[in-house]
Amino acid sequence: METSIIAVGSVWTIVKNSSTFGVIILAVLVFMSLVSWAIIFSKWREFKAVENENEKFIKTFRRARSLSEAIGQAKSHAASPVSHIFMAGYTELTALAGDKNDTAGLVEVKRKVDQEDLEIVAMGMEKAQTEQIGKLERRVIFLATTANSAPFMGLLGTVVGIMDAFWSIGERGSASLAVVAPGIAEALLATIVGLGAAIPAVIAYNWANNKLKYISEFSQNFTLEFMARVRREAR
């Protein structure tokens, strides 16, 4: 416990003795790290909810005897990107049938849709998929920005700290440890904080991209399943 208190006290001592520019760099890095962690927790909750809702809706969709039967379930799974894609596809179908208010069934659709109509439906669903993935991608770019820029900002702080150490040597005419220690400590602290901000951001960014890829592929597979079902019901 005492060691921890001493370590925290030493860090604050280093910060107090740092140059103004060094303090600004440390403050920016700490801010980027805090925002990154906030995004990480937010995205973890969001992706978990999306995956759960997608699984629930796809089970309901497969149990439904017709596309119109899945409408109510799609509306109750608003957190599922797949449900929005389904609604986009169904809306296109009813619009092509000439009855935009049709929520009772696909009687008219069965009579009127052809291959060209099915391509229009597929394009509408692809557009909805792009929009849904775009929503999930929000704020992920900040993780990439932190991962790429934090090490360089830490390096900049390191250079400033070393320059300050050399300046102290020239000013006092001595290269003793007491003279160079504050500048070197400032340099090392900037390096640690820069890496501390960058490493979690790199890991989280790769994780988020992996999740986005999985959700995108899941959505594409659903679109194929939806189109296959439309062809089946339109026979």
Side-chain angles (χ1 to χ4, degrees):
M1 186 67 176
E2 288 183 9
T3 304
S4 176
I5 294 172
I6 292 171
V8 173
S10 300
V11 170
W12 281 114
T13 302
I14 295 170
V15 173
K16 287 179 183 178
N17 293 328
S18 297
S19 63
T20 302
F21 189 69
V23 171
I24 292 172
I25 290 175
L26 289 173
V28 171
L29 288 171
V30 170
F31 171 77
M32 293 175 73
S33 180
L34 292 174
V35 173
S36 294
W37 278 107
I39 292 172
I40 291 168
F41 285 117
S42 172
K43 286 299 172 184
W44 177 78
R45 292 175 61 187
E46 185 177 14
F47 288 146
K48 185 178 180 181
V50 163
E51 288 180 357
N52 289 338
E53 289 295 300
N54 273 347
E55 291 293 339
K56 289 178 183 177
F57 175 73
I58 202 72
K59 289 177 182 177
T60 302
F61 173 78
R62 288 169 180 168
R63 283 197 303 264
R65 289 171 294 181
S66 65
L67 292 176
S68 56
E69 193 176 308
I71 286 287
Q73 293 298 326
K75 292 177 180 177
S76 66
H77 290 85
S80 168
V82 168
S83 70
H84 290 276
I85 295 168
F86 168 81
M87 290 297 296
Y90 190 84
T91 301
E92 287 292 340
L93 279 174
T94 52
L96 288 168
D99 185 3
K100 295 182 180 179
N101 296 316
D102 176 25
T103 57
L106 291 171
V107 177
E108 295 300 320
V109 173
K110 289 181 182 179
R111 294 176 184 171
K112 295 182 180 180
V113 291
D114 54 22
Q115 185 59 38
E116 186 177 344
D117 292 334
L118 292 175
E119 290 177 3
I120 293 172
V121 172
M123 285 189 287
M125 296 181 74
E126 185 177 346
K127 178 177 177 292
Q129 178 187 331
T130 302
E131 290 174 350
Q132 292 301 311
I133 296 299
K135 289 178 182 178
L136 293 174
E137 286 177 340
R138 288 175 185 169
R139 299 188 300 277
V140 172
I141 190 64
F142 188 87
L143 296 176
T145 302
T146 300
N148 290 325
S149 62
F152 292 103
M153 292 188 67
L155 180 60
L156 180 60
T158 302
V159 172
V160 170
I162 293 173
M163 286 176 60
D164 187 54
F166 278 110
W167 180 265
S168 298
I169 291 173
E171 194 175 50
R172 299 185 186 181
S174 172
S176 65
L177 186 60
V179 173
V180 300
I184 298 299
E186 177 185 346
L188 294 176
L189 181 61
T191 302
I192 292 170
V193 176
L195 292 175
I199 292 172
V202 169
I203 296 171
Y205 179 71
N206 291 333
W207 166 81
N209 271 343
N210 211 22
K211 287 291 184 182
L212 287 168
K213 182 181 177 182
Y214 170 77
I215 294 169
S216 178
E217 290 175 351
F218 189 93
S219 302
Q220 288 172 2
N221 289 336
F222 172 76
T223 299
L224 294 175
E225 186 173 342
F226 178 91
M227 297 307 296
R229 187 156 182 178
V230 168
R231 288 186 174 92
R232 228 172 21 244
E233 291 193 14
R235 284 179 180 177

